[in-house]
């Protein structure tokens, strides 16, 4: 696969087999971010669990200390006073069955996070097949099925991220923008890792953190020394 000159230069800064301390890794993530746009820095965490088992699922959400550098568009399924509350909190879209029809009929996905009040889950459930694969289905664990829509919208706008295992037992999660600098990225990263370590399922056996890699959008992967993370 052909890689551009900027990528080749970035690769030279990273030792492939080395496990970096967190502060070194964040420093490198910033240095290897050479694109013309403000690259997102992501963490990729491979866990020693089996996501096929319900008792080994790892899923949750956390408000990153410095946000993600991106303001998420929030869609709220609510009615009556709760719909008014969502509007007042700054939700981008608020509605009921008409939004379900819009998503189903127009393949409309101009939003990043979906919040729903518990009484709306019967309606939202009809979207399981389209929202589920995109990781957009509201869930109590992620705090997106709630009566406190004001809190949910405020936290999402403040930089709340959801983390969840994919089918290969890896969590992919943004920890900010390269422009944040190494210190803020480190603080976001440590907050995320703390939440994931805390969420370790009781059924998980053996080594929990298998590998941790950080990378900017266009940059190379940087291995973090997971043994120092807990």
């Amino acid at each position: 696969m052909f890689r551009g000159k900027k990528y080749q230069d970035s690769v030279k800064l990273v030792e492939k087999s080395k496990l970096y301390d967190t502060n070194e890794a964040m420093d490198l993530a910033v240095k290897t971010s050479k694109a013309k746009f403000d690259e997102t820095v992501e963490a990729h965490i491979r866990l020693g669990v089996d996501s096929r088992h319900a008792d080994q699922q790892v899923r949750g959400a956390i408000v990153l200390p410095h946000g993600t550098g991106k303001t998420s568009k929030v869609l709220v399924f609510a009615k009556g006073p709760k719909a008014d509350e969502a509007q007042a909190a700054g939700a981008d879209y608020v509605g009921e069955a008409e939004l379900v029809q819009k998503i189903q009929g127009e393949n409309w996905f101009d939003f990043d996070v979906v919040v729903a009040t518990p009484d709306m889950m019967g309606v939202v459930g009809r979207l399981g097949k389209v929202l589920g694969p995109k990781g957009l289905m509201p869930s109590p664990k992620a705090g997106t099925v709630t009566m406190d829509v004001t809190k949910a919208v405020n936290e999402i706008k403040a930089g709340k991220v959801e983390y969840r295992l994919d089918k290969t037992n890896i969590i992919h999660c943004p920890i900010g923008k390269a422009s944040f600098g190494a210190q803020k990225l480190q603080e976001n990263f440590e907050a995320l890792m703390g939440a994931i370590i805390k969420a370790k399922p009781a059924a998980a056996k053996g080594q929990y953190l298998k590998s941790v890699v950080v990378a900017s959008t266009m940059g190379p992967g940087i291995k973090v020394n997971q043994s120092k993370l807990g």
Side-chain angles (χ1 to χ4, degrees), residues 24 116 122 147 163 229:
E24 293 177 304
M147 286 304 281
Y163 56 86
L229 298 171

Side-chain angles (χ1 to χ4, degrees), residues 181-208:
Q183 183 64 37
K184 285 184 177 177
L185 286 172
Q186 182 173 344
E187 287 166 16
N188 276 358
F189 173 76
E190 286 171 349
L192 173 68
M193 292 308 302
I196 290 170
I197 290 164
K198 211 172 172 181
K200 179 181 179 179
K205 299 284 181 276
Q207 189 183 359
Y208 181 53

Side-chain angles (χ1 to χ4, degrees), residues 57-229:
Q57 279 297 330
V58 179
R59 182 177 184 178
I62 181 171
V63 179
L64 296 176
H66 304 288
T68 60
K70 171 182 182 250
T71 304
S72 296
K73 283 189 183 175
V74 186
L75 164 63
V76 178
F77 284 100
K79 56 189 175 188
K82 287 291 162 189
D84 298 338
E85 198 183 305
Q87 291 276 17
D92 298 272
Y93 309 102
V94 183
E96 301 177 49
E98 76 282 2
L99 289 177
V100 173
Q101 287 160 1
K102 188 174 169 70
I103 291 166
Q104 287 177 327
E106 301 172 27
N107 201 27
W108 173 71
F109 290 102
D110 184 29
F111 47 87
D112 305 296
V113 185
V114 181
V115 174
T117 52
D119 58 328
M120 292 300 294
M121 285 308 290
V123 176
V124 180
R126 304 206 293 262
L127 294 169
K129 283 185 179 168
V130 287
L131 294 182
K134 292 178 182 288
L136 290 168
M137 195 66 184
S139 108
K141 265 193 173 176
T144 45
V145 176
T146 176
M147 286 304 281
D148 194 346
V149 290
T150 299
K151 183 185 176 196
V153 173
N154 287 341
E155 285 187 342
I156 293 159
K157 293 289 184 183
K160 185 179 189 177
V161 292
E162 187 180 345
Y163 56 86
R164 57 188 300 185
L165 284 176
D166 67 8
K167 284 179 181 158
T168 60
N169 305 316
I170 299 175
I171 289 171
H172 307 274
C173 198
I175 55 168
K177 297 283 187 182
S179 62
F180 282 19
Q183 183 64 37
K184 285 184 177 177
L185 286 172
Q186 182 173 344
E187 287 166 16
N188 276 358
F189 173 76
E190 286 171 349
L192 173 68
M193 292 308 302
I196 290 170
I197 290 164
K198 211 172 172 181
K200 179 181 179 179
K205 299 284 181 276
Q207 189 183 359
Y208 181 53
L209 296 177
K210 290 280 191 185
S211 68
V212 180
V213 174
V214 294
S216 61
T217 310
M218 308 293 284
I222 301 151
K223 294 176 184 171
V224 182
N225 188 347
Q226 77 274 15
S227 66
K228 292 189 177 181
L229 298 171

Side-chain angles (χ1 to χ4, degrees), residues 38-53:
D38 192 8
E39 295 181 46
T40 296
V41 178
E42 276 206 349
H44 307 277
I45 302 123
R46 183 187 293 278
L47 298 179
V49 295
D50 188 343
S51 62
R52 291 172 301 179
H53 299 292

